[in-house]
């Protein structure tokens, strides 16, 4: 309900338009601050503010746990209160179990990430509050937030590590605009074979199997050939794999010719019964 | 391409149909095994298998870091190789940077979670491999997987902590069937006020503002009233908030009557100029 207010000069300063600010409120362990920074870097969040860290600042353990996210810690600012940390922000989200004493819109982490992308694009400056390990945000700190973020997780085991809470939000922030296709067929230096190429292999296989006598039973032949064809059509085959399979057919045929006999029962492939 | 094979008795055993198996491959730190178990519990994954843990098993550090996910560690099984760990599984996913030497379908974590839900519902038994800290899975271990899982994350900082990698998959696993609405208005013991209730407050406010002389400027009056109304309509207001606002109007009116004067310029609200 404060969105309609006109406010002072601080509001008019150009917002960074880069990424939301992660505010760690009264964090207890330096290591958790470091792993939170690492998670932020993973998800493309670069601005950290820290409210009243229990063990002071800087803390060497934070840098040790950051795994290369040092720049985020180097640039982190320290604030006495949440109100001070978010004074220049236009929107404040809080990650918190549902408090019973306030009325506030709730978003899943995914919907919050979409909101944050929109806010960022306007551009306005957004912050996301993460409470201390165990205790969470207190009432006064919650009052600084306009939106609550909830993580849909197993209600029988909701206790989230601080860095993991940051990780999920950072992951959703990145994913909200990520163009990676959800399903992809990895081809590297090969490509998916077309139907003609697959039929080429199948045809050669039939010739060799006919020559070996494997398909001699005319009553069963059609079913066996159909089963073989279905097996090849079940998934995508790459041209590289087809080359390998041609080699296998060639090698097995040579072996048969060398040995000059039909395959033993033990050598029969698993598709020998079309029933 | 192995999907068409008929296999031995192990395949016919009823799969658990509960949740995919998380396979930690050659994990180095007991603490990471514990935080991985915690992340699994958060996301409703309960079956852990561990391949050749560097420091043996059990490791007290794992239980200390598990924050209540002890049952997962208690039930975890130890295996000499990945092949042994997944021998009774029908599908094997691997979380791994893109290897150049094999051809394998790739899924984002979100699409993989949907796949895992489908596989689980059939029901078939699925496993997800997580390689050791730093090194990742080796070629032989990767060959046990039929599908690769990629996490869309900041390419400039991809290095994921083991527990965070498990956390993202567990989160997606849970979210894939989670009914939590993405956007929700938290009402607790109150409800969203209807338009009539909001108009009731607005009407009272107009009466008081007219009485105070605040709306005396007839040329500006319509615009000022419209702006006030717009401000109240901007978001959802709860009946609880309306009660509070009625109290505010009452109290301010009494103050005016007590003081017997019009408000000073300093007291004028921020919406005093409709221009």
């Amino acid at each position: 309900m404060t969105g309609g207010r006109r406010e002072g000069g601080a509001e008019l300063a150009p917002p960074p338009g880069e990424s939301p600010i992660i505010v760690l409120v009264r964090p207890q362990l330096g290591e958790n601050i470091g792993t939170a920074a690492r998670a932020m870097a993973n998800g493309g969040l670069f601005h950290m503010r820290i409210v009243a860290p229990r063990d002071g600042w800087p803390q060497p353990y934070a840098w040790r746990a950051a795994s290369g996210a040092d720049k985020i810690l180097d640039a982190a600012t320290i604030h006495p209160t949440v109100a001070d940390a978010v004074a220049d922000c236009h929107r404040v989200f809080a990650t918190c179990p549902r408090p019973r004493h306030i009325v506030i819109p709730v978003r899943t982490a995914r919907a919050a990430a979409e909101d944050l992308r929109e806010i960022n694009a306007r551009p306005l400056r957004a912050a996301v509050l993460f409470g201390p390990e165990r205790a969470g945000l207190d009432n006064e700190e919650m009052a600084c937030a306009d939106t609550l973020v909830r993580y849909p997780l197993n209600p029988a085991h909701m206790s989230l590590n601080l860095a993991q809470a940051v990780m999920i939000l950072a992951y959703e922030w990145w994913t909200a605009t990520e163009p990676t296709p959800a399903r992809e067929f990895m081809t590297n230096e090969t490509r998916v074979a077309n139907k003609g190429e697959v039929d080429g292999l199948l045809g050669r296989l039939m010739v060799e199997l006919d020559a070996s006598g494997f398909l001699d039973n005319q009553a069963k032949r059609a079913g066996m050939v159909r089963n073989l064809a279905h097996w090849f059509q079940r998934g995508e085959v790459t041209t590289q794999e087809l080359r390998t399979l041609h080699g296998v057919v060639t090698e097995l045929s040579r072996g048969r010719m060398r040995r000059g006999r039909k395959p033993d029962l033990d050598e029969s492939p698993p598709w020998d019964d079309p029933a």
Side-chain angles (χ1 to χ4, degrees), chain A:
Chain A
M1 290 302 294
T2 61
R5 297 276 188 88
R6 261 201 256 129
E7 301 195 8
E11 286 288 289
L12 304 172
E18 289 179 0
S19 66
I21 295 155
I22 298 300
V23 183
L24 303 184
V25 182
R26 297 180 280 117
Q28 295 176 10
L29 297 173
E31 186 188 348
N32 286 344
I33 302 173
T35 48
R38 179 180 181 179
M40 288 170 60
N42 290 143
L45 294 168
F46 301 108
H47 306 294
M48 177 186 277
R49 294 179 184 180
I50 311 174
V51 174
R54 186 188 67 181
D55 299 336
W57 192 257
Q59 298 177 38
Y61 274 115
W63 272 261
R64 250 176 265 170
S67 282
D70 300 35
K71 282 182 187 171
I72 292 174
L73 296 176
D74 296 342
T77 54
I78 304 297
H79 303 262
T81 62
V82 171
D84 183 78
V86 302
D88 65 343
C89 297
H90 306 82
R91 293 288 305 277
V92 178
F93 292 65
T95 57
C96 184
R98 175 185 295 240
R100 291 196 60 79
H101 59 286
I102 57 161
V103 175
I104 187 170
V106 185
R107 302 282 182 269
T108 61
R110 191 160 301 164
E114 290 163 10
D115 286 355
L116 289 169
R117 286 283 177 188
E118 283 173 21
I119 293 163
N120 210 55
R122 294 176 59 181
L124 295 173
R125 192 184 282 122
V128 186
L129 310 180
F130 290 85
E133 301 93 335
R134 299 171 200 273
L137 300 168
D138 67 26
N139 292 354
E140 200 179 338
E141 290 158 352
M142 273 302 303
C144 296
D146 53 71
T147 308
L148 201 65
V149 185
R150 284 185 66 212
Y151 292 8
L153 284 170
N154 180 9
H157 195 96
M158 286 293 287
S159 152
L160 262 190
N161 172 280
L162 175 59
Q164 284 171 331
V166 173
M167 181 76 253
I168 288 176
L169 188 91
Y171 165 72
E172 288 288 7
W173 163 258
W174 187 271
T175 307
T177 57
E178 167 66 30
T180 300
R183 287 150 201 280
E184 186 187 351
F185 194 76
M186 176 190 294
T187 52
N188 290 332
E189 286 111 29
T190 184
R191 61 172 177 78
V192 176
N194 61 35
K195 296 299 181 190
E197 288 164 334
V198 174
D199 286 346
L201 176 73
L202 265 172
R204 258 203 71 205
L205 187 60
M206 294 307 137
V207 168
E208 296 295 344
L209 291 178
D210 273 326
S212 75
F214 184 79
L215 298 174
D216 276 358
N217 184 332
Q218 288 301 318
K220 288 191 169 183
R221 189 180 188 281
M224 292 168 79
V225 168
R226 198 167 50 239
N227 277 5
L228 266 173
H230 280 171
W231 183 60
F232 273 97
Q233 305 291 359
R234 186 159 302 146
E236 293 168 351
V237 189
T238 66
T239 53
Q240 191 182 46
E241 287 168 327
L242 275 189
R243 276 195 301 276
T244 303
L245 290 169
H246 273 291
V248 168
V249 171
T250 301
E251 190 53 39
L252 292 179
S253 311
R254 276 186 195 151
R256 173 176 50 79
M257 287 186 287
R258 270 202 297 271
R259 290 195 303 272
R261 56 173 176 80
K262 290 190 184 180
D264 292 339
L265 270 180
D266 287 348
E267 289 178 308
S268 61
W271 56 70
D272 60 349
D273 183 1

